[in-house]
Protein backbone atom coordinates (compact mmCIF):
# COMPACT_ATOMS: atom_id res chain seq x y z
CA UNK A 1 0.00 0.00 0.00
CA UNK A 2 1.34 3.37 -0.96
CA UNK A 3 1.61 6.46 1.15
CA UNK A 4 0.11 9.72 -0.08
CA UNK A 5 1.23 13.27 0.66
CA UNK A 6 -1.71 15.67 0.95
CA UNK A 7 -2.55 19.39 1.13
CA UNK A 8 -0.58 20.48 4.23
CA UNK A 9 2.62 19.87 2.21
CA UNK A 10 1.63 22.41 -0.44
CA UNK A 11 4.21 25.19 -0.54
CA UNK A 12 5.82 23.94 2.71
CA UNK A 13 7.83 21.15 1.13
CA UNK A 14 9.85 20.31 4.23
CA UNK A 15 12.33 17.65 3.14
CA UNK A 16 12.45 15.74 6.45
CA UNK A 17 10.52 12.89 4.79
CA UNK A 18 12.97 12.78 1.89
CA UNK A 19 15.94 12.68 4.23
CA UNK A 20 14.74 9.55 6.07
CA UNK A 21 13.39 7.54 3.12
CA UNK A 22 15.59 4.44 2.73
CA UNK A 23 14.65 3.88 -0.92
CA UNK A 24 14.50 7.46 -2.23
CA UNK A 25 10.91 7.11 -3.40
CA UNK A 26 9.85 10.66 -2.48
CA UNK A 27 10.07 13.01 -5.43
CA UNK A 28 9.80 16.78 -5.53
CA UNK A 29 7.01 18.35 -7.55
CA UNK A 30 6.35 21.99 -8.26
CA UNK A 31 4.17 22.56 -5.18
CA UNK A 32 4.68 19.47 -3.01
CA UNK A 33 6.46 16.14 -2.62
CA UNK A 34 5.08 12.88 -4.02
CA UNK A 35 5.67 9.26 -3.02
CA UNK A 36 6.18 6.87 -5.93
CA UNK A 37 3.78 3.97 -5.30
CA UNK A 38 5.95 1.38 -7.08
CA UNK A 39 9.15 2.40 -5.30
CA UNK A 40 7.72 2.77 -1.78
CA UNK A 41 8.40 -0.22 0.48
CA UNK A 42 5.71 0.79 3.00
CA UNK A 43 8.19 1.21 5.83
CA UNK A 44 6.32 4.29 7.15
CA UNK A 45 9.53 5.99 8.28
CA UNK A 46 8.47 9.19 6.52
CA UNK A 47 5.10 9.54 8.20
CA UNK A 48 6.22 10.67 11.69
CA UNK A 49 8.94 12.92 10.21
CA UNK A 50 6.47 15.20 8.41
CA UNK A 51 6.21 18.41 10.45
CA UNK A 52 2.80 19.27 8.96
CA UNK A 53 1.30 15.75 9.21
CA UNK A 54 0.69 15.50 5.47
CA UNK A 55 1.61 11.82 4.92
CA UNK A 56 -1.03 9.09 5.14
CA UNK A 57 -1.42 5.48 4.10
CA UNK A 58 -3.59 5.46 1.01
CA UNK A 59 -6.54 3.85 2.81
CA UNK A 60 -6.29 6.37 5.67
CA UNK A 61 -6.31 9.62 3.68
CA UNK A 62 -8.90 11.95 5.27
CA UNK A 63 -12.02 12.48 3.18
CA UNK A 64 -11.26 16.14 2.45
CA UNK A 65 -8.00 15.11 0.73
CA UNK A 66 -9.06 12.00 -1.20
CA UNK A 67 -8.38 13.81 -4.50
CA UNK A 68 -4.66 13.72 -3.61
CA UNK A 69 -4.64 9.98 -4.28
CA UNK A 70 -5.36 10.69 -7.95
CA UNK A 71 -3.04 13.71 -7.96
CA UNK A 72 -0.20 11.48 -6.73
CA UNK A 73 -0.90 8.84 -9.37
CA UNK A 74 -1.09 11.47 -12.12
CA UNK A 75 2.31 12.90 -11.11
CA UNK A 76 3.97 9.59 -11.95
CA UNK A 77 2.08 9.05 -15.23
CA UNK A 78 3.94 11.93 -16.88
Amino acid sequence: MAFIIVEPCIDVKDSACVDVCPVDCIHEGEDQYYIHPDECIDCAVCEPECPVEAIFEEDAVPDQWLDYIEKNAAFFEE
Side-chain angles (χ1 to χ4, degrees):
M1 168 150 331
F3 282 79
I4 305 294
I5 298 177
V6 297
E7 186 174 288
C9 183
I10 299 285
D11 296 326
V12 172
K13 289 181 23 177
D14 183 289
S15 65
C17 59
V18 177
D19 296 340
V20 298
C21 181
V23 294
D24 297 323
C25 71
I26 303 174
H27 302 269
E28 186 171 3
E30 186 173 319
D31 61 348
Q32 71 172 80
Y33 285 106
Y34 296 88
I35 299 175
H36 196 296
D38 296 332
E39 297 172 359
C40 180
I41 59 171
D42 302 324
C43 68
V45 175
C46 60
E47 192 175 15
E49 294 300 317
C50 181
V52 292
E53 299 179 11
I55 302 174
F56 296 89
E57 287 187 59
E58 186 174 348
D59 65 353
V61 172
D63 289 344
Q64 72 266 29
W65 296 319
L66 288 175
D67 56 330
Y68 281 82
I69 296 171
E70 186 172 320
K71 181 180 180 184
N72 188 80
F75 180 80
F76 294 105
E77 288 176 357
E78 297 174 0

